[in-house]
Amino acid sequence: MMVREKLRELIATARSRGYAITEQQLDPGMRGIAVPIRSRTSEVVGAISVSLPMGNESTSAATSRVLPVLREVEHSLLALL
């Protein structure tokens, strides 16, 4: 698969899930989870993310733990937009 096709596939997956995950792409042993920040009209105006060590935690466990907090922050920021 070509790089552009793979990138498009990753973007489509993140868009359909409503969040993105990266693992060991910036630093070995690190994971990133991000959610979009949307305006009141649902336009994406930014994003919020967190980086955390992968350790012994699975992707699923980390997502279950971190994603609700990121969503809460996302909703709190909506009041400021």
Side-chain angles (χ1 to χ4, degrees):
M1 181 179 291
M2 293 180 57
V3 174
R4 284 185 181 183
E5 291 171 356
K6 182 64 176 171
L7 182 58
R8 286 186 178 130
E9 180 182 305
L10 292 171
I11 291 169
T13 299
R15 184 176 288 141
S16 69
R17 285 192 305 210
Y19 64 93
I21 296 177
T22 61
E23 293 188 334
Q24 303 192 75
Q25 291 187 358
L26 296 177
D27 288 315
M30 295 297 288
R31 173 184 288 128
I33 303 175
V35 297
I37 303 298
R38 297 182 183 276
S39 70
R40 294 180 193 274
T41 60
S42 296
E43 177 185 7
V44 176
V45 295
I48 186 167
S49 67
V50 64
S51 296
L52 55 150
M54 292 175 71
N56 294 325
E57 188 174 36
S58 70
T59 302
S60 170
T63 303
S64 295
R65 183 172 60 86
V66 173
L67 195 55
V69 177
L70 289 175
R71 294 278 189 221
E72 186 176 323
V73 172
E74 172 193 3
H75 292 300
S76 295
L77 289 173
L78 181 60
L80 301 174
L81 298 177

